[in-house]
Amino acid sequence: MLDLAACCAPIRREPLDPADARVLAEAFRALADPVRLQLLNLIATSAAGEVCACDLVEPVGKSQPTVSHHLKVLREAGLVEADKRGTWVWYSVVPHRLDELRRVLARR
Amino acid sequence: MLDLAACCAPIRREPLDPADARVLAEAFRALADPVRLQLLNLIATSAAGEVCACDLVEPVGKSQPTVSHHLKVLREAGLVEADKRGTWVWYSVVPHRLDELRRVLARR
DNA sequence: GATCAATATCGACGGTAATCGATGTTGCTC
DNA sequence: GAGCAACATCGATTACCGTCGATATTGATC
């Protein structure tokens, strides 16, 4: 799992070495797809704070394997968490991960 | 040029329609490459607030065409501006573009 | 334990992006 | 205007990514 807290000061404030640039790019790459942004949005704006994966396929208009793939990318980027309860998997956002990305973009 | 201000409320706060998701994803895609993050960092942290393109090739360790390509991507994403002065081109960041991306990631 | 439903994984295909050498373009200088 | 330097574009190559059908896995139910 990529660790942003241990990595990157705001890029408008301090020098960024190549290794940290790779970690950061990997994090932003998770946000660089419209389907993943929609999934993240659906999960983040849900009233319960979590959404069953079964309710994420139809809204984004992609196949079940494709949605599963994108959820995996979001998971590996640390942006969402999966909680398996019986047959269903419930997804929720990891707020501090998005906060860390905000921090990296802060003004100098 | 993609327009974030006219597009996207914070994705943790309001629903995100597919068209806006595409615009947003395009913006984040510009940040999803280590070379571009390094270039953005070099420009943003420069004392003068702008950097000659000629001083951006060596630090990132890529060929001149590759650097030129990445600068174009950053330009088309609205994250940097280019100012041609004689033989040289000076690059500076567009602060409000990065601020808009921060806003999109804000908490609900 | 056989069946069914929800997810994940696999394999393959098509598109896109990163990279670089070669070449084009622009502007300076003598 | 010839030569040179900075930068952009082109063409080709390679690698990666999104997508989906098919299949495997897991867990619930009867």
Side-chain angles (χ1 to χ4, degrees), chain B residues 34-92:
Chain B
V35 175
R36 287 196 288 272
L37 286 176
Q38 285 185 77
L39 291 170
L40 197 59
N41 173 252
L42 287 168
I43 298 168
T45 60
S46 73
E50 58 180 3
V51 181
C52 174
C54 61
D55 291 325
L56 291 171
V57 175
E58 184 272 336
V60 301
K62 299 291 178 183
S63 72
Q64 179 269 325
T66 295
V67 172
S68 183
H69 163 71
H70 285 303
L71 287 171
K72 183 179 184 177
V73 174
L74 288 173
R75 236 185 305 133
E76 288 176 345
L79 294 173
V80 303
E81 276 179 347
D83 183 26
K84 182 163 191 174
R85 296 205 284 270
T87 306
W88 293 274
V89 179
W90 295 81
Y91 281 88
S92 56

Side-chain angles (χ1 to χ4, degrees), chain A residues 27-79:
Chain A
F28 281 121
R29 197 168 52 75
L31 297 177
D33 181 274
V35 175
R36 286 196 289 271
L37 286 177
Q38 286 184 76
L39 290 171
L40 197 59
N41 174 251
L42 287 168
I43 298 167
T45 60
S46 74
E50 59 180 1
V51 181
C52 174
C54 60
D55 291 325
L56 290 171
V57 175
E58 184 272 336
V60 300
K62 299 291 177 183
S63 73
Q64 179 270 324
T66 295
V67 172
S68 183
H69 162 71
H70 285 304
L71 287 172
K72 184 180 185 179
V73 173
L74 289 172
R75 236 184 305 132
E76 289 176 345
L79 295 172

Side-chain angles (χ1 to χ4, degrees), chain A residues 51-55 64 68 82-91:
Chain A
V51 181
C52 174
C54 60
D55 291 325
Q64 179 270 324
S68 183
D83 183 25
K84 183 163 190 175
R85 296 207 283 272
T87 306
W88 294 274
V89 178
W90 295 81
Y91 281 88

Side-chain angles (χ1 to χ4, degrees), chain A residues 12 14 41 44 99 107-108, chain B residues 14 41 44 99 107-108:
Chain A
R12 294 196 253 184
E14 289 182 27
N41 174 251
D99 294 338
R107 282 175 180 267
R108 82 162 71 198
Chain B
E14 291 182 28
N41 173 252
D99 294 340
R107 281 174 181 269
R108 81 164 71 196

